[in-house]
Amino acid sequence: MSNSSSSQGHDSSSHRWNHLKKVLERPGPFCHPEFECSPETLNFLMSSCKILVVGAGGLGCELLKNLAMMGFKHIHVIDMDTIDLSNLNRQFLFRQKDIGSSKAEVAAKFINARVPGCNVVPHFCKIQDFDSDFYRQFHIVVCGLDSIIARRWINGMLVSLLSYDDNEELDPSSIIPMIDGGTEGFKGSARVILPGMSACVDCTLDLYPPQVVYPLCTIASTPRLPEHCIEYVKVIQWPKENPFDASIDGDDPTHLNWIFEKASERATQYGILGVTYRLVQGVVKNIIPAVASTNAVVAAACATEVFKMATSCCKPLNNFMIFNDIDGIYTYLYEAEKNENCLACKPSSIPKYLKLTSNEMKLQELIQLLMDSPTFRMKNPGLAVNIEGKNRTLYMSTVPSIEVKTRENLKKKLSELDIHDGTKIMIADATTPNTIEIVLSIPTFMEMSNE
């Protein structure tokens, strides 16, 4: 009996990758024109190809499982979140005993134990904790994120790794493909991004709806919804009371509990029902509703694109697929076009311009323009300028000590800050890993008169 079991186990192991060999070791009608069938392709996939999965949530769990079962053995996964009870209905690599533990670490341990030979390396941290050398080691990056800001940051990092020659010709060997998946309820999408060649995340910012913003006058004076009460605590009460001497961390239970208690008090004051801990999480972290089946479909599409990219066995997706199963099942494929004016895609040697109406604009208005503009859509830009060879910080909200020192600049006009036509502004923001340099184009008095 034991011999029979051993024999069956050995046979199943030796034939485990037969389905991949059929695709990679013989030609077919859907092969890529430049594909050469060879046993070496599977060998590369299993022994050399390094994949980075960003996110170990609903999509990330599916991606890790799919990639491991498709033969990829060198996988890294990054996720800064810990496991919550609400995750267990769709993030199937986690169990009740794992609540409170790192998503990346638990997911990696599960896959490594379940798929022999697979080595998933977890990173329980932020994507911003790694430099360009870390990201440069991977052949493909696949994202299962619920944050546009994180997508833009990864996109910016991969774009920054591109190399150009003296004639601004792109070096193809410096391209690290990015496969990006996203879901919202019964809708989802998968896309293939070839940095420097095809449309990147910033090229198509208009595809992503802006985050819901509640009017300050409403949340402060006439709240009507539980979300208004939560937003009031988040935007007004937290900065005023500064309970933990830190900015809000949506993954810190003590922060969320404080917001929950204060929001509940405000809701009671105005006779509003519906403030729950889960809703607090949703508002603070901008959580998007998730459905397990949608995650599975989108992750399968993304994993297939990773496989095609790694092996060249078929032409990759060109380049955006939309999935919708609200009413029946519907998919649509189209090619997102590269935006020639995209700030992220442009080589750093090419100047980037921002046209303003006048240098009588206040610095606060310039910052708001950078946040509201469909081209920039920044979160909390910090601005610096180089005047007469000296760098000077105009405003930076992310460092408390610098914010206090530069706050008075917000009310000053650009002319008072010695900013004029041709001034180069250096901008740091959470949406990009690199400082963006923008040349301001400000019409002179004579040009304004002529107009």
Side-chain angles (χ1 to χ4, degrees):
M1 189 72 179
S2 59
N3 290 339
S4 174
S5 300
S6 174
S7 175
Q8 288 175 2
H10 175 74
D11 290 342
S12 63
S13 175
S14 62
H15 295 295
R16 167 173 290 193
W17 310 113
N18 276 355
H19 60 299
L20 297 181
K21 292 178 181 179
K22 290 175 182 177
V23 175
L24 301 177
E25 296 183 8
R26 63 185 187 185
F30 301 107
C31 284
H32 191 286
E34 298 179 4
F35 174 66
E36 295 183 5
C37 47
S38 166
E40 292 303 313
T41 307
L42 181 59
N43 183 53
F44 162 75
L45 185 146
M46 300 180 73
S47 62
S48 303
C49 189
K50 294 185 73 173
I51 306 294
L52 173 64
V53 176
V54 185
L59 275 175
C61 285
E62 292 279 355
L63 285 167
L64 288 169
K65 176 260 294 180
N66 291 347
L67 294 171
M69 298 297 286
M70 294 175 85
F72 293 97
K73 295 195 172 185
H74 302 283
I75 305 170
H76 287 238
V77 58
I78 300 177
D79 198 300
M80 61 177 285
D81 285 348
T82 54
I83 298 162
D84 185 74
L85 177 64
S86 62
N87 301 147
L88 302 186
N89 69 338
R90 64 194 180 279
Q91 298 174 23
F92 59 91
L93 299 182
F94 310 140
R95 301 292 181 266
Q96 190 137 4
K97 63 181 176 60
D98 300 320
I99 291 175
S101 300
S102 158
K103 285 186 177 181
E105 291 173 357
V106 173
K109 184 178 179 180
F110 191 107
I111 295 293
N112 290 341
R114 192 65 177 267
V115 184
C118 187
N119 180 33
V120 180
V121 180
H123 302 281
F124 179 34
C125 61
K126 299 177 181 179
I127 53 176
Q128 295 86 352
D129 290 345
F130 292 110
D131 60 13
S132 57
D133 288 337
F134 172 81
Y135 290 100
R136 192 177 281 112
Q137 67 179 302
F138 299 102
H139 293 92
I140 301 170
V141 174
V142 54
C143 297
L145 293 163
D146 58 3
S147 164
I148 296 171
I149 292 173
R151 278 189 179 91
R152 293 180 67 186
W153 194 93
I154 287 288
N155 177 78
M157 172 56 74
L158 298 183
V159 168
S160 72
L161 299 179
L162 299 175
S163 298
Y164 294 85
D165 62 20
D166 295 337
N167 298 319
E168 298 297 342
E169 290 293 325
L170 176 62
D171 177 6
S173 66
S174 65
I175 297 173
I176 299 176
M178 172 178 166
I179 315 298
D180 180 43
T183 66
E184 181 177 356
F186 292 99
K187 298 180 290 184
S189 65
R191 67 185 300 187
V192 173
I193 296 172
L194 299 175
M197 292 182 64
S198 64
C200 76
V201 172
D202 275 38
C203 282
T204 55
L205 271 184
D206 55 330
L207 293 176
Y208 303 100
Q211 187 172 333
V212 176
V213 178
Y214 300 102
L216 190 60
C217 56
T218 300
I219 65 174
S221 306
T222 56
R224 299 183 301 276
L225 302 171
E227 290 87 348
H228 292 163
C229 300
I230 298 167
E231 196 73 10
Y232 175 86
V233 177
K234 172 185 170 185
V235 174
I236 297 175
Q237 207 164 341
W238 183 285
K240 186 177 179 180
E241 299 186 23
N242 197 12
F244 300 98
D245 195 25
S247 57
I248 295 175
D249 182 353
D251 297 300
D252 189 329
T254 57
H255 289 199
L256 293 175
N257 276 318
W258 191 89
I259 296 172
F260 172 59
E261 290 172 6
K262 298 297 181 182
S264 298
E265 291 173 7
R266 185 167 177 81
T268 301
Q269 180 184 348
Y270 284 89
I272 297 171
L273 302 176
V275 174
T276 64
Y277 184 84
R278 189 167 184 178
L279 183 62
V280 169
Q281 278 185 308
V283 173
V284 172
K285 298 178 65 178
N286 193 31
I287 292 175
I288 297 168
V291 174
S293 57
T294 310
N295 285 338
V297 171
V298 171
C302 290
T304 301
E305 294 307 316
V306 174
F307 183 80
K308 289 194 286 185
M309 277 287 177
T311 63
S312 298
C313 64
C314 291
K315 288 184 178 180
L317 180 72
N318 186 30
N319 53 30
F320 206 114
M321 185 273 286
I322 293 172
F323 172 79
N324 189 333
D325 63 345
I326 292 176
D327 184 13
I329 296 178
Y330 171 78
T331 60
Y332 174 69
L333 173 68
Y334 76 98
E335 181 180 359
E337 294 184 358
K338 199 170 187 294
N339 183 354
E340 297 303 324
N341 296 316
C342 173
L343 295 176
C345 281
K346 276 187 179 180
S348 56
S349 58
I350 300 177
K352 303 171 180 66
Y353 292 91
L354 173 61
K355 189 172 183 178
L356 304 179
T357 55
S358 162
N359 65 348
E360 295 303 293
M361 170 188 280
K362 293 179 180 178
L363 181 65
Q364 191 169 29
E365 294 173 329
L366 173 58
I367 291 173
Q368 195 62 46
L369 174 64
L370 294 170
M371 295 169 69
D372 296 340
S373 165
T375 304
F376 295 94
R377 290 264 293 270
M378 292 186 172
K379 185 183 180 185
N380 49 2
L383 277 62
V385 65
N386 187 297
I387 297 177
E388 297 180 354
K390 294 183 179 179
N391 286 336
R392 179 159 59 95
T393 301
L394 298 175
Y395 182 72
M396 184 173 291
S397 63
T398 54
V399 182
S401 59
I402 298 178
E403 195 280 332
V404 171
K405 292 180 181 178
T406 57
R407 189 182 301 164
E408 61 181 14
N409 289 340
L410 292 174
K411 302 296 182 183
K412 293 182 179 179
K413 297 177 181 178
L414 299 185
S415 57
E416 295 177 290
L417 296 168
D418 200 20
I419 294 173
H420 48 78
D421 182 50
T423 298
K424 184 182 290 184
I425 298 284
M426 291 160 284
I427 306 172
D429 189 65
T431 58
T432 174
N434 306 301
T435 299
I436 299 175
E437 293 188 351
I438 294 178
V439 180
L440 297 181
S441 177
I442 306 174
T444 62
F445 178 76
M446 290 295 294
E447 288 173 332
M448 294 172 65
S449 300
N450 292 335
E451 291 179 2

